[in-house]
Amino acid sequence: MAKELTVNIPSTSVDEAIEQLNIAGVFNLYYEQPFETKVNENGYGVEIQKNQDIKLHIVVEEDTEVNGVLRLVSETLQVSAQEIEQADISLQIGPIHFVDIKLRNGWMICYEESVDSKLEKTIYLDPQAAFGTGVHETTQDCLQFILNDRFDNMNVFDIGTGSGVLAIAAAIKGAVNVTAIDIEPVEREVAHQANLNQVSNITVHQVDILEEDYEFPKDIDWTIINIGAEETVKIIKRHRLYEKTNKFLLSGVVEWNEEKVTTYLENVGFKVLERIQSNEWVTALYSK
């Protein structure tokens, strides 16, 4: 059974401690940066708590002698064995198991590692590292819009694609060209999810769309952005997407910042076709 050794270390010393442990041959470790969640006008943010102790966790696999690792950590970090807390974390090791999600429109998000045949009204996900597990309200509400519509022969852009679940939904609904953009290197994960859903017409580009230049086509049927109000307005304005897009599906917007997005889009010729709200999160479809 796997064990975890936890050491309290000053935040200013954590990088040095990790380096010392790596040199000593201890690699399976992680730590939690202390932070406080803050509500701001764009939604939620985090404030890193400085000058606090950090819990450095060392995972000891079940076939490793715990006392030997305990002595090694004690000697390397110059702390006593009594200062090191041992905890059984066997339930935290291995993949996270998700429960299938039934969307409000009859579709389902199904978490299967392998799919032999595609069931109707089902999107398959095998969550990896990118955002977009299907659990968050914004993802589900975007899927509500996409899966209720038709995308036959359409050109779709999904900005901030993460796992690619929204891009995949558009492809399932008939989009002929789907371009998925993300600041992170998500191409392999999106390809994996696309393969699960038997779609192959998704192109992934890694680019910081807020800071870097990118050549968008002049005729985009749908642009999907599930990020946040401030970032969404900046992206649309920077790349003049209001001139190139027929419909915007926007989410990741909190109710107290929705007016900023709506007012901006109305000023450039768009109107709200439909909106839904889950808790504080607003998802809306805008059209020229």
Side-chain angles (χ1 to χ4, degrees), residues 210-267:
L210 274 170
E211 301 294 337
E212 300 177 31
D213 292 334
Y214 182 86
E215 187 174 349
F216 285 91
K218 295 181 180 179
D219 188 13
I220 304 171
D221 294 294
W222 282 56
T223 294
I224 303 167
I225 308 177
N226 180 13
I227 298 177
E230 296 284 352
E231 296 84 353
T232 294
V233 171
K234 288 179 181 178
I235 289 169
I236 294 173
K237 184 182 298 185
R238 173 184 173 85
H239 298 279
R240 302 180 71 89
L241 289 175
Y242 51 85
E243 296 178 349
K244 306 166 184 178
T245 298
N246 294 318
K247 289 183 179 180
F248 285 106
L249 176 59
L250 306 181
S251 192
V253 178
V254 286
E255 59 182 341
W256 55 85
N257 213 4
E258 177 187 5
E259 185 178 354
K260 178 177 293 185
V261 178
T262 300
T263 299
Y264 173 77
L265 285 177
E266 286 178 346
N267 287 338

Side-chain angles (χ1 to χ4, degrees), residues 28 34 63 69 75 85 95 113 116 118 215-217 247:
N28 199 358
D63 57 351
V69 177
E75 294 169 359
E85 173 189 349
E113 295 185 1
D116 295 326
K118 181 78 171 66
E215 187 174 349
F216 285 91
K247 289 183 179 180

